[in-house]
Amino acid sequence: LQGRMHVDLDDVKAVAAPVLRHRIVTNYLAEADRLSVDGIIEKLMKHANSLAEAPSHAERVSGVLNRS
C-alpha cells in the first residue's frame, strides 16, 4: 500500500497475475478459443481499467440533474 490508507487499482494490477494465475482453471471452451490464464487475467485488468475510468453513479446522477 506504500503508506496509503486505501488500495489503489495499481496495487491490484501489481498482484493480479501472481495471485490469480493459480486460481483460474480454463475449461475446454477456453482452450478451444486459445484463451490462456494470463490472457484471461489481462482481460480482467482491462475491464477493471474501464470500470475505474467510467463515471461513478453519483457523477452520472449529478450530470442528469444538472442538465439545462
Side-chain angles (χ1 to χ4, degrees):
L1 295 176
Q2 300 175 348
R4 292 186 310 265
M5 298 298 289
H6 65 281
V7 176
D8 190 76
L9 184 57
D10 290 332
D11 298 324
V12 174
K13 288 180 192 177
V15 298
V19 169
L20 296 175
R21 192 172 285 129
H22 70 282
R23 295 185 177 270
I24 296 175
V25 179
T26 56
N27 63 12
Y28 173 76
L29 292 175
E31 291 174 13
D33 287 342
R34 299 179 187 256
L35 282 175
S36 67
V37 171
D38 286 329
I40 293 169
I41 295 169
E42 183 178 326
K43 285 184 179 197
L44 287 170
M45 291 299 95
K46 285 181 182 178
H47 184 67
N49 279 337
S50 67
L51 290 176
E53 294 170 359
S56 70
H57 177 70
E59 290 169 330
R60 291 191 313 265
V61 169
S62 68
V64 169
L65 295 176
N66 292 329
R67 288 184 185 166
S68 300

